[in-house]
Amino acid sequence: MRILGIDPGLNITGYAVVTVAAPRPQLHEAGVLRIAARRPLPQRLADLHRQAVELFREFRVDHLAVEQLYAHYNHPRTAILMAHARGAILLAAAEAGVSVTDLSSTLVKKTITGNGHAGKHQMQRAVAALCRLHSPPSPPDVADAIAIAWALATRLRRGRLAD
């Protein structure tokens, strides 16, 4: 079973393809989708959607893993913009017939580091160790996408989709 983990963004969207395997998940591919920041929002969303469609087509994934939308009361605009990006990706998943699983950021962080409140650098180092990478994934969006996919793969391997 192949899982596509996505960390949505309007400028940079991290993605990772992970396979559910024993004794541990396997990372196959990771990278970023880049969206031109100077374009109007509708065109940026169309670009993101188009690139997401290509990911689904290229990797033939079974599941999409994304973090649940979280809105910090100091930054409501950020949550709204991320919701737009997330919507473009969820539309691509629906068109591809791929099931979607939302995971809380706390659950992802706890699965990867054992600490539900881990910081960006801790997540990058933990992902590098789990995937046996020579250096932490960069930008952090890639590490986040790997972590999201890895967390779902771990849960599916254990037969626990939800808690």
Side-chain angles (χ1 to χ4, degrees):
M1 179 181 305
R2 282 190 161 195
I3 297 169
L4 174 63
I6 292 190
D7 181 35
L10 284 174
N11 298 330
I12 296 175
T13 291
Y15 72 89
V17 178
V18 170
T19 300
V20 178
R24 55 193 279 133
Q26 297 295 313
L27 175 65
H28 290 281
E29 173 85 21
V32 294
L33 305 177
R34 295 194 186 273
I35 310 300
R38 294 184 182 158
R39 298 186 69 195
L41 180 62
Q43 282 74 31
R44 291 165 71 187
L45 293 172
D47 289 347
L48 179 57
H49 175 263
R50 211 172 5 265
Q51 290 182 49
V53 165
E54 185 54 37
L55 285 178
F56 288 110
R57 186 176 298 129
E58 180 179 350
F59 295 110
R60 296 186 204 106
V61 297
D62 304 296
H63 264 78
L64 170 64
V66 291
E67 278 187 355
Q68 292 172 349
L69 191 57
Y70 171 76
H72 190 277
Y73 66 91
N74 285 335
H75 306 285
R77 187 174 190 281
T78 301
I80 291 168
L81 291 173
M82 289 307 102
H84 287 310
R86 195 171 183 276
I89 291 162
L90 294 179
L91 174 60
E95 291 172 342
V98 173
S99 63
V100 177
T101 300
D102 295 299
L103 301 172
S104 72
S105 62
T106 304
L107 180 102
V108 171
K109 290 174 181 183
K110 187 169 185 168
T111 301
I112 302 303
T113 68
N115 175 4
H117 301 287
K120 289 271 185 204
H121 295 295
Q122 185 179 358
M123 287 295 291
Q124 284 176 287
R125 288 190 308 272
V127 165
L130 280 174
C131 298
R132 298 179 176 120
L133 302 174
H134 296 290
S135 60
S138 184
D141 312 80
V142 176
D144 290 347
I146 295 169
I148 293 164
W150 193 281
L152 180 57
T154 300
R155 299 182 69 69
L156 288 172
R157 192 173 52 77
R158 292 179 182 159
R160 292 181 12 215
L161 189 53
D163 268 337

